[in-house]
Amino acid sequence: QQQVKQSPQSLIVQKGGISIINCAYENTAFDYFPWYQQFPGKGPALLIAIRPDVSEKKEGRFTISFNKSAKQFSLHIMDSQPGDSATYFCAASGDSGYALNFGKGTSLLVTP
Amino acid sequence: DSGVTQTPKHLITATGQRVTLRCSPRSGDLSVYWYQQSLDQGLQFLIQYYNGEERAKGNILERFSAQQFPDLHSELNLSSLELGDSALYFCASSVGREGGTGELFFGEGSRLTVL
């Protein structure tokens, strides 16, 4: 079963706009929440990650917001650029022995 | 370039056949992971090896097997192939064994097409 649910499946945003991708999880043992970015023909690459001891983490134009009580986290891309067009995967994992569980991905297209 | 090398990049074969996918991890990384990516299922974790030993197992079919060799490269063997096995297979590596809490470095994948 899918342990991490991601939405939307696809997203179109105009250049300069804000892209928002949401994820939800059920397993309360999860304590590591990364986002991976994948360009066509390439493997996923780590973009940004958060642990539940903070509610927000920002790196440049990318921000993760984390709501532990709701078991949800989201990626915000500010001032979206055409170069941000890619597939984004949220993921979650926990104690030793847990591998990264990925969401199904969101295909983001930023139009000029 | 992530430093993870996968071969072959593309593979076309017939149902019932067996194939082997190969992965060389980043220099110094002891863990290797295999993931299957399909359009409807996203990235599915198959199996992890750490320094030659199986560390964690995910949704890996019995027809699939993997191993990690003393030089740390890994092979994923897929047998009795079915049409539904067509997918992109990724290998990833990390330094430690707790792959769930550290950065994974992915290769560019091996695209398998079963006809």
PDB file of all heavy atoms in Angstrom, chain A residues 3 5 9-11 14 20 33-34 37 68 85 87 90 92 95 100 103 106:
ATOM      1  N   GLN A   3       2.402   4.302   1.294  1.00  0.00           N
ATOM      2  CA  GLN A   3       2.519   4.843   2.641  1.00  0.00           C
ATOM      3  C   GLN A   3       2.580   6.357   2.655  1.00  0.00           C
ATOM      4  O   GLN A   3       2.397   6.979   3.700  1.00  0.00           O
ATOM      5  CB  GLN A   3       3.767   4.267   3.303  1.00  0.00           C
ATOM      6  CG  GLN A   3       3.711   2.753   3.480  1.00  0.00           C
ATOM      7  CD  GLN A   3       4.505   2.284   4.664  1.00  0.00           C
ATOM      8  OE1 GLN A   3       4.426   2.856   5.745  1.00  0.00           O
ATOM      9  NE2 GLN A   3       5.290   1.242   4.462  1.00  0.00           N
ATOM     10  N   LYS A   5       1.017   9.610   0.468  1.00  0.00           N
ATOM     11  CA  LYS A   5       0.087  10.019  -0.586  1.00  0.00           C
ATOM     12  C   LYS A   5       0.399  11.444  -1.004  1.00  0.00           C
ATOM     13  O   LYS A   5       0.480  12.337  -0.151  1.00  0.00           O
ATOM     14  CB  LYS A   5      -1.349   9.888  -0.092  1.00  0.00           C
ATOM     15  CG  LYS A   5      -1.716   8.437   0.183  1.00  0.00           C
ATOM     16  CD  LYS A   5      -3.165   8.268   0.570  1.00  0.00           C
ATOM     17  CE  LYS A   5      -3.462   6.784   0.802  1.00  0.00           C
ATOM     18  NZ  LYS A   5      -4.862   6.555   1.208  1.00  0.00           N
ATOM     19  N   GLN A   9      -1.276  15.268  -8.936  1.00  0.00           N
ATOM     20  CA  GLN A   9      -0.488  14.425  -9.835  1.00  0.00           C
ATOM     21  C   GLN A   9       0.276  15.287 -10.835  1.00  0.00           C
ATOM     22  O   GLN A   9       1.390  14.966 -11.227  1.00  0.00           O
ATOM     23  CB  GLN A   9      -1.423  13.467 -10.572  1.00  0.00           C
ATOM     24  CG  GLN A   9      -0.713  12.400 -11.373  1.00  0.00           C
ATOM     25  CD  GLN A   9      -1.681  11.391 -11.954  1.00  0.00           C
ATOM     26  OE1 GLN A   9      -2.899  11.470 -11.744  1.00  0.00           O
ATOM     27  NE2 GLN A   9      -1.169  10.431 -12.700  1.00  0.00           N
ATOM     28  N   SER A  10      -0.335  16.395 -11.258  1.00  0.00           N
ATOM     29  CA  SER A  10       0.339  17.322 -12.158  1.00  0.00           C
ATOM     30  C   SER A  10      -0.058  18.742 -11.809  1.00  0.00           C
ATOM     31  O   SER A  10      -1.120  18.977 -11.211  1.00  0.00           O
ATOM     32  CB  SER A  10       0.000  16.998 -13.614  1.00  0.00           C
ATOM     33  OG  SER A  10      -1.378  17.145 -13.839  1.00  0.00           O
ATOM     34  N   LEU A  11       0.802  19.665 -12.202  1.00  0.00           N
ATOM     35  CA  LEU A  11       0.615  21.049 -11.799  1.00  0.00           C
ATOM     36  C   LEU A  11       1.217  21.957 -12.862  1.00  0.00           C
ATOM     37  O   LEU A  11       2.335  21.708 -13.322  1.00  0.00           O
ATOM     38  CB  LEU A  11       1.319  21.274 -10.452  1.00  0.00           C
ATOM     39  CG  LEU A  11       1.229  22.622  -9.754  1.00  0.00           C
ATOM     40  CD1 LEU A  11      -0.216  22.958  -9.450  1.00  0.00           C
ATOM     41  CD2 LEU A  11       2.064  22.590  -8.476  1.00  0.00           C
ATOM     42  N   GLN A  14       2.447  29.489 -13.704  1.00  0.00           N
ATOM     43  CA  GLN A  14       3.118  30.508 -14.518  1.00  0.00           C
ATOM     44  C   GLN A  14       4.415  30.949 -13.857  1.00  0.00           C
ATOM     45  O   GLN A  14       4.548  30.926 -12.617  1.00  0.00           O
ATOM     46  CB  GLN A  14       2.201  31.718 -14.703  1.00  0.00           C
ATOM     47  CG  GLN A  14       1.107  31.495 -15.738  1.00  0.00           C
ATOM     48  CD  GLN A  14       0.449  32.796 -16.146  1.00  0.00           C
ATOM     49  OE1 GLN A  14       0.371  33.743 -15.366  1.00  0.00           O
ATOM     50  NE2 GLN A  14      -0.041  32.852 -17.375  1.00  0.00           N
ATOM     51  N   ILE A  20       2.765  24.584  -5.199  1.00  0.00           N
ATOM     52  CA  ILE A  20       2.538  23.919  -3.913  1.00  0.00           C
ATOM     53  C   ILE A  20       2.185  22.454  -4.153  1.00  0.00           C
ATOM     54  O   ILE A  20       1.269  22.148  -4.912  1.00  0.00           O
ATOM     55  CB  ILE A  20       1.406  24.590  -3.110  1.00  0.00           C
ATOM     56  CG1 ILE A  20       1.711  26.065  -2.870  1.00  0.00           C
ATOM     57  CG2 ILE A  20       1.197  23.857  -1.773  1.00  0.00           C
ATOM     58  CD1 ILE A  20       0.588  26.836  -2.216  1.00  0.00           C
ATOM     59  N   PHE A  33      11.618  13.449   6.298  1.00  0.00           N
ATOM     60  CA  PHE A  33      10.727  13.769   5.180  1.00  0.00           C
ATOM     61  C   PHE A  33      11.496  14.566   4.131  1.00  0.00           C
ATOM     62  O   PHE A  33      11.569  15.787   4.193  1.00  0.00           O
ATOM     63  CB  PHE A  33       9.510  14.559   5.690  1.00  0.00           C
ATOM     64  CG  PHE A  33       8.761  13.834   6.774  1.00  0.00           C
ATOM     65  CD1 PHE A  33       9.087  14.020   8.110  1.00  0.00           C
ATOM     66  CD2 PHE A  33       7.737  12.952   6.454  1.00  0.00           C
ATOM     67  CE1 PHE A  33       8.411  13.339   9.122  1.00  0.00           C
ATOM     68  CE2 PHE A  33       7.048  12.275   7.457  1.00  0.00           C
ATOM     69  CZ  PHE A  33       7.395  12.466   8.783  1.00  0.00           C
ATOM     70  N   PRO A  34      12.028  13.874   3.136  1.00  0.00           N
ATOM     71  CA  PRO A  34      12.749  14.576   2.076  1.00  0.00           C
ATOM     72  C   PRO A  34      11.871  14.793   0.842  1.00  0.00           C
ATOM     73  O   PRO A  34      10.861  14.117   0.648  1.00  0.00           O
ATOM     74  CB  PRO A  34      13.890  13.613   1.739  1.00  0.00           C
ATOM     75  CG  PRO A  34      13.286  12.264   1.987  1.00  0.00           C
ATOM     76  CD  PRO A  34      12.257  12.435   3.100  1.00  0.00           C
ATOM     77  N   GLN A  37      13.802  15.752  -6.570  1.00  0.00           N
ATOM     78  CA  GLN A  37      13.474  16.373  -7.848  1.00  0.00           C
ATOM     79  C   GLN A  37      14.042  15.499  -8.952  1.00  0.00           C
ATOM     80  O   GLN A  37      15.202  15.062  -8.873  1.00  0.00           O
ATOM     81  CB  GLN A  37      14.097  17.778  -7.889  1.00  0.00           C
ATOM     82  CG  GLN A  37      13.871  18.571  -9.149  1.00  0.00           C
ATOM     83  CD  GLN A  37      14.719  19.846  -9.140  1.00  0.00           C
ATOM     84  OE1 GLN A  37      15.922  19.805  -8.953  1.00  0.00           O
ATOM     85  NE2 GLN A  37      14.068  20.998  -9.323  1.00  0.00           N
ATOM     86  N   LYS A  68       2.869  18.118  12.040  1.00  0.00           N
ATOM     87  CA  LYS A  68       2.980  16.795  12.648  1.00  0.00           C
ATOM     88  C   LYS A  68       1.620  16.257  13.082  1.00  0.00           C
ATOM     89  O   LYS A  68       1.313  15.076  12.904  1.00  0.00           O
ATOM     90  CB  LYS A  68       3.919  16.857  13.855  1.00  0.00           C
ATOM     91  CG  LYS A  68       4.250  15.504  14.447  1.00  0.00           C
ATOM     92  CD  LYS A  68       5.302  15.636  15.520  1.00  0.00           C
ATOM     93  CE  LYS A  68       5.684  14.279  16.098  1.00  0.00           C
ATOM     94  NZ  LYS A  68       6.746  14.391  17.115  1.00  0.00           N
ATOM     95  N   SER A  85      10.700  23.068 -13.886  1.00  0.00           N
ATOM     96  CA  SER A  85       9.831  22.056 -14.477  1.00  0.00           C
ATOM     97  C   SER A  85      10.486  20.684 -14.340  1.00  0.00           C
ATOM     98  O   SER A  85      11.577  20.448 -14.864  1.00  0.00           O
ATOM     99  CB  SER A  85       9.562  22.362 -15.953  1.00  0.00           C
ATOM    100  OG  SER A  85       8.880  23.589 -16.076  1.00  0.00           O
ATOM    101  N   THR A  87       9.667  16.491 -12.193  1.00  0.00           N
ATOM    102  CA  THR A  87       8.781  15.690 -11.344  1.00  0.00           C
ATOM    103  C   THR A  87       9.310  15.748  -9.917  1.00  0.00           C
ATOM    104  O   THR A  87      10.515  15.572  -9.692  1.00  0.00           O
ATOM    105  CB  THR A  87       8.704  14.235 -11.817  1.00  0.00           C
ATOM    106  OG1 THR A  87       8.193  14.206 -13.148  1.00  0.00           O
ATOM    107  CG2 THR A  87       7.774  13.418 -10.920  1.00  0.00           C
ATOM    108  N   CYS A  90       7.737  13.439  -2.878  1.00  0.00           N
ATOM    109  CA  CYS A  90       7.919  13.497  -1.447  1.00  0.00           C
ATOM    110  C   CYS A  90       8.229  12.083  -0.970  1.00  0.00           C
ATOM    111  O   CYS A  90       7.953  11.104  -1.674  1.00  0.00           O
ATOM    112  CB  CYS A  90       6.684  14.040  -0.736  1.00  0.00           C
ATOM    113  SG  CYS A  90       5.185  13.062  -0.954  1.00  0.00           S
ATOM    114  N   ALA A  92       9.129   9.590   2.864  1.00  0.00           N
ATOM    115  CA  ALA A  92       9.154   9.533   4.321  1.00  0.00           C
ATOM    116  C   ALA A  92       9.821   8.244   4.750  1.00  0.00           C
ATOM    117  O   ALA A  92       9.754   7.234   4.061  1.00  0.00           O
ATOM    118  CB  ALA A  92       7.734   9.615   4.878  1.00  0.00           C
ATOM    119  N   ASP A  95      12.538   4.642  11.586  1.00  0.00           N
ATOM    120  CA  ASP A  95      13.581   3.934  12.321  1.00  0.00           C
ATOM    121  C   ASP A  95      14.441   3.074  11.406  1.00  0.00           C
ATOM    122  O   ASP A  95      14.095   2.818  10.264  1.00  0.00           O
ATOM    123  CB  ASP A  95      12.935   3.027  13.383  1.00  0.00           C
ATOM    124  CG  ASP A  95      12.099   3.830  14.353  1.00  0.00           C
ATOM    125  OD1 ASP A  95      12.323   5.036  14.444  1.00  0.00           O
ATOM    126  OD2 ASP A  95      11.216   3.239  14.989  1.00  0.00           O
ATOM    127  N   LEU A 100      13.314   4.557   2.280  1.00  0.00           N
ATOM    128  CA  LEU A 100      12.503   5.692   1.885  1.00  0.00           C
ATOM    129  C   LEU A 100      11.244   5.230   1.158  1.00  0.00           C
ATOM    130  O   LEU A 100      11.328   4.443   0.221  1.00  0.00           O
ATOM    131  CB  LEU A 100      13.290   6.619   0.962  1.00  0.00           C
ATOM    132  CG  LEU A 100      14.125   7.720   1.599  1.00  0.00           C
ATOM    133  CD1 LEU A 100      14.853   8.500   0.525  1.00  0.00           C
ATOM    134  CD2 LEU A 100      13.273   8.630   2.454  1.00  0.00           C
ATOM    135  N   GLY A 103       6.158   9.096  -2.494  1.00  0.00           N
ATOM    136  CA  GLY A 103       4.855   9.359  -3.082  1.00  0.00           C
ATOM    137  C   GLY A 103       4.920   9.065  -4.568  1.00  0.00           C
ATOM    138  O   GLY A 103       5.989   8.745  -5.099  1.00  0.00           O
ATOM    139  N   THR A 106       4.719  14.359  -8.546  1.00  0.00           N
ATOM    140  CA  THR A 106       3.949  15.463  -9.133  1.00  0.00           C
ATOM    141  C   THR A 106       4.749  16.024 -10.287  1.00  0.00           C
ATOM    142  O   THR A 106       5.916  16.413 -10.110  1.00  0.00           O
ATOM    143  CB  THR A 106       3.698  16.575  -8.108  1.00  0.00           C
ATOM    144  OG1 THR A 106       2.893  16.070  -7.045  1.00  0.00           O
ATOM    145  CG2 THR A 106       3.018  17.782  -8.756  1.00  0.00           C
TER     146      THR A 106
END
